[in-house]
Amino acid sequence: MALPPAFLDELRVRTPLHGLIGRRTRLARNGRQWKGCCPFHNEKTPSFYVYDDHFHCFGCGAHGDAITFLMRAEGATFPEAVERLAAETGMQVPKPTPQAAARERRARDLHGVLAAAEAAYRRRLFLPEGRPALDYLRRRGLSDETIARFGLGWSGEGRGALAAELKSDGIEPPQLVAAGLMKQRDPDRPEAGQGAQYSDMFFGRVMFPIRDRRGRTISFGGRILGDGQPKYVNGPETELFRKRQGLYGLDLAREGAFRGAPVLVVEGYMDVIALHQAGFAGAVAPLGTALTSEQLELLWQLSPEPVLCFDGDAAGARAAARAAETALPLLTAERSLKLAALSGGEDPDTLLQKGGPRAFQPVLDGARTLSAALFDLLAEGRPRQTPEQRAALRGRLEEAARAIPDRVLSGEYRRTLLDRFWEETRRAAPGPGRRGGGAPWAGRPAAFRIMARPAVDSDAIRRERARNLLAILVRHPLLLPEVEEALMSLDLPAGEAEGLRAAMLAWLGTAEPLDSAALTGHLAQCGMGNAVTWATRATGLCAAAQPTAQPKEALDGWWHFFGLLRGEADLVQDLADAQRQLTETYDPAAQQRLIRLKRALDALRRGETESDPDEAAEGEPGEGPQASRASTIG
């Protein structure tokens, strides 16, 4: 028995093709696709391209999908390739039962039924009875070419008209019921009447064919003319149609994405059509549901970072928040989302009608990454005046970051969200003591007035932490051999910090002895004198960077600042690597590194939970409790 096409389509969607092929040949990203040397013939210049759903070699002509690749690369039979891919994606291969065979025949029949219905609806649109619908589409700015491309039609007003028209093609009402075009009436209802067993799903509506990724019609959506309700309806779920597993406009968006168009997710059918007509060929829309995990997987097949562009009203904001919540458990370092904001209750269709493509392009250009937009989505409508309210928001932010399975990515999101949280909560906010935006505690003695706290400059804080870390090494270069590997792993601010690190590591390979005077002299000869002055200036310098600090005091202080700069997620990974290295080598140096990393991680976590991690921003950067404690950590 041949396998159901719907099963094979889903199997291909669930299989990341570049990951499968990347096991046999090295691939590098090349724009929206991947490129490498062909695994099927010897070549030195890469001519093998991997796209979202197929591969092609411009050298030998090899072409196919995931199933074809396994058959060619490993000599697997078709059933063997399907079984292997199904096992990897967690799918169950349908068994060859008589019932499955019957479903397959029905599916083939249903595609034919739906194609015949689409042709009937399209014909009616250009008949006198369809004139109001055609006028409506043209008033919405659609050209005849766009109407034809999307297969738009008219259902007709008369009940039973579709069944009567398709009867000559040998299509019976039970087939139309199975295709989602008619429904069977309850025979016990009085209005059913003699011979009225079936009724149309659509009448008096503009018809929008819903197609699968291969361009085959699998259902319809219908829009009523005028102000009736519901304005839009979709066909019911059938053997071909699952609302959660499809996207309107997917077949055309695949082609657009292949040609370089950004992939856009909007809310309505007319938004999709208007965007395609305006040249934004990657637009799709969910099928009357919130964006689902299955739909996100389809989107990531087209683009690693599709753009969500929901309407600029409260409902659109809620839809964006739900989509972000659905996406978080599915994020990886290679796939995410962007969010574009529409304002003033606009939607893409109305915006394009008013100003054309030039009016929509700034919306697309202004799309923010999910990491940048997530705070606003989670904090929307949540007060932050009291400690309890701020604690609740912080818990919500941390919960969102924990939803990301990728540990490193989760840590990065947590840091980004909490950085924004500290920045927001430091701003003066209206509280019980304020009225009309006036100064708090007005009328009280000056000694009891609260001074407004300045906004946190995260970049300045990071520069000061890097300055203290490097100053410790300038004053105590004996630490360099022990911390060399850790120092190289840090992402330091550009400029003096990066320059000092490079110069010190270069000096370490030839230096003898390792003393501060020799290092300072070397740095001056290298043109790094100003950088040394910057690093060792007295303002904000921790005790561990003083020349009088004891070696243990300096080393503990260095690992303290290392932990702050490295971040929790990276420290956790460093700790795991150090543990593995110690298990493999039993090297005392590896044991010391493990101990230092553990202390740095513990110190970082204590700083996050027992005090404000950005206290240093209160005065001169680097002058806070964190800096003064550096000499005692460990």
Side-chain angles (χ1 to χ4, degrees):
M1 182 200 79
L3 292 170
F7 166 79
L8 294 176
D9 285 345
E10 185 173 356
L11 182 65
R12 294 180 182 106
V13 167
R14 288 196 186 187
T15 302
L17 193 54
H18 75 272
L20 175 69
I21 296 176
R23 300 172 194 169
R24 296 189 65 89
T25 185
R26 184 173 182 178
L27 299 174
R29 184 172 286 282
N30 186 299
R32 293 181 177 271
Q33 58 273 340
W34 300 77
K35 183 180 180 180
C37 290
C38 179
F40 304 121
H41 77 285
N42 294 324
E43 63 175 2
K44 295 182 179 179
T45 302
S47 62
F48 184 81
Y49 285 78
V50 180
Y51 303 93
D52 64 301
D53 58 356
H54 72 282
F55 64 85
H56 183 81
C57 178
F58 290 91
C60 68
H63 183 91
D65 57 14
I67 299 171
T68 308
F69 181 80
L70 285 184
M71 293 172 68
R72 292 197 58 159
E74 302 182 5
T77 64
F78 180 84
E80 289 170 345
V82 170
E83 286 281 359
R84 176 175 161 185
L85 293 177
E88 291 185 0
T89 57
M91 296 179 65
Q92 188 71 36
V93 179
K95 300 299 181 184
T97 63
Q99 294 82 3
R103 282 197 300 270
E104 183 186 345
R105 288 194 299 272
R106 286 197 302 271
R108 286 198 300 267
D109 292 342
L110 291 182
H111 280 303
V113 170
L114 289 160
E118 180 181 340
Y121 291 146
R122 294 174 71 168
R123 281 195 301 271
R124 285 185 191 170
L125 182 65
F126 291 93
L127 295 175
E129 65 171 295
R131 187 71 191 194
L134 184 60
D135 290 343
Y136 163 79
L137 293 173
R138 287 173 174 167
R139 283 197 305 273
R140 296 292 295 264
L142 302 188
S143 66
D144 287 355
E145 180 184 356
T146 298
I147 291 170
R149 188 179 185 207
F150 282 87
L152 307 185
W154 171 245
S155 67
E157 295 283 1
R159 298 174 183 267
L162 181 64
E165 183 170 350
L166 298 184
K167 188 174 182 63
S168 61
D169 293 332
I171 297 174
E172 298 295 330
Q175 293 174 284
L176 295 173
V177 172
L181 297 169
M182 298 189 78
K183 57 186 175 182
Q184 192 163 13
R185 289 189 173 186
D186 184 352
D188 296 330
R189 294 176 62 184
E191 64 269 24
Q194 185 67 26
Q197 299 180 26
Y198 303 97
S199 63
D200 293 63
M201 285 294 301
F202 304 99
F203 52 89
R205 290 182 180 271
V206 178
M207 300 300 291
F208 299 80
I210 300 171
R211 297 164 177 161
D212 64 13
R213 65 201 313 267
R214 294 167 61 183
R216 299 172 299 183
T217 299
I218 54 176
S219 188
F220 290 89
R223 188 201 191 283
I224 196 168
L225 293 181
D227 299 324
Q229 293 296 329
K231 184 182 293 185
Y232 282 94
V233 295
N234 287 326
E237 298 208 343
T238 67
E239 291 187 15
L240 297 182
F241 179 54
R242 298 287 186 272
K243 293 179 182 179
R244 293 180 56 86
Q245 298 176 4
L247 292 163
Y248 182 71
L250 178 61
D251 57 319
L252 299 176
R254 285 181 67 214
E255 179 183 349
F258 178 77
R259 299 182 183 281
V263 175
L264 295 166
V265 185
V266 291
E267 291 192 60
Y269 295 159
M270 288 301 298
D271 292 327
V272 171
I273 297 171
L275 283 166
H276 277 264
Q277 181 171 278
F280 300 94
V284 296
L287 299 169
T289 65
L291 200 62
T292 67
S293 58
E294 295 91 338
Q295 290 165 342
L296 284 168
E297 294 288 353
L298 288 173
L299 291 167
W300 282 320
Q301 288 280 326
L302 305 183
S303 168
E305 202 170 40
V307 181
L308 307 188
C309 183
F310 294 128
D311 294 351
D313 53 17
R318 289 193 297 271
R322 287 195 301 269
E325 184 178 356
T326 302
L328 286 173
L330 306 173
L331 296 183
T332 69
E334 293 184 346
R335 62 185 199 183
S336 186
L337 298 172
K338 282 187 173 182
L339 285 87
L342 289 163
S343 59
E346 292 278 13
D347 58 49
D349 181 31
T350 58
L351 190 61
L352 287 166
Q353 288 188 46
K354 292 177 181 177
R358 290 184 179 180
F360 185 78
Q361 187 62 49
V363 174
L364 184 57
D365 294 340
R368 295 193 295 166
T369 62
L370 178 59
S371 60
L374 187 58
F375 180 92
D376 291 329
L377 293 175
L378 296 174
E380 179 69 26
R382 292 179 175 269
R384 301 191 283 279
Q385 280 76 30
T386 68
E388 294 82 3
Q389 291 167 346
R390 291 192 291 274
L393 175 58
R394 179 173 176 177
R396 183 171 171 82
L397 297 174
E398 293 186 331
E399 181 183 1
R402 285 195 299 269
I404 302 173
D406 185 307
R407 186 170 55 185
V408 175
L409 185 61
S410 174
E412 289 298 323
Y413 263 77
R414 182 178 184 274
R415 184 172 69 179
T416 298
L417 291 171
L418 290 185
D419 282 349
R420 177 78 182 276
F421 172 80
W422 295 118
E423 178 183 349
E424 292 287 329
T425 53
R426 283 187 180 281
R427 295 175 182 169
R434 291 179 183 254
R435 285 188 180 179
W441 311 100
R444 297 194 178 192
F448 292 95
R449 293 180 187 168
I450 299 176
M451 300 299 292
R453 304 173 79 177
V456 174
D457 186 343
S458 300
D459 291 339
I461 292 171
R462 189 165 181 81
R463 284 194 299 273
E464 285 301 300
R465 289 170 176 172
R467 184 176 77 86
N468 276 271
L469 176 138
L470 294 168
I472 293 172
L473 295 178
V474 170
R475 295 283 173 72
H476 304 278
L478 279 170
L479 305 181
L480 274 168
E482 181 172 342
V483 302
E484 178 183 9
E485 182 181 351
L487 178 61
M488 292 174 64
S489 70
L490 281 176
D491 179 19
L492 294 180
E496 294 97 336
E498 284 189 339
L500 267 181
R501 173 175 61 183
M504 283 193 286
L505 291 175
W507 173 79
L508 178 61
T510 59
E512 188 66 37
L514 298 180
D515 62 53
S516 182
L519 174 57
T520 304
H522 169 78
L523 293 174
Q525 291 178 0
C526 295
M528 301 296 295
N530 290 337
V532 171
T533 302
W534 164 78
T536 58
R537 73 174 188 269
T539 303
L541 198 63
C542 64
Q546 301 300 330
T548 55
Q550 295 300 308
K552 181 181 183 304
E553 185 180 7
L555 186 60
D556 288 343
W558 192 92
W559 282 105
H560 166 74
F561 285 105
F562 173 83
L564 294 175
L565 288 165
R566 186 71 168 149
E568 182 177 355
D570 287 334
L571 278 175
V572 169
Q573 184 61 52
D574 293 343
L575 195 64
D577 293 341
Q579 180 67 62
R580 185 168 54 253
Q581 183 181 6
L582 178 61
T583 303
E584 293 172 354
T585 64
Y586 294 100
D587 182 2
Q591 183 180 23
Q592 286 299 315
R593 184 167 184 266
L594 179 66
I595 293 171
R596 294 295 181 186
L597 286 169
K598 180 68 166 60
R599 289 177 177 174
L601 181 59
D602 290 345
L604 178 63
R605 286 173 171 168
R606 286 198 305 272
E608 288 178 348
T609 56
E610 295 177 5
S611 65
D612 186 336
D614 292 325
E615 282 180 294
E618 293 283 358
E620 286 289 332
E623 282 186 333
Q626 296 282 23
S628 62
R629 285 202 306 269
S631 61
T632 61
I633 291 175

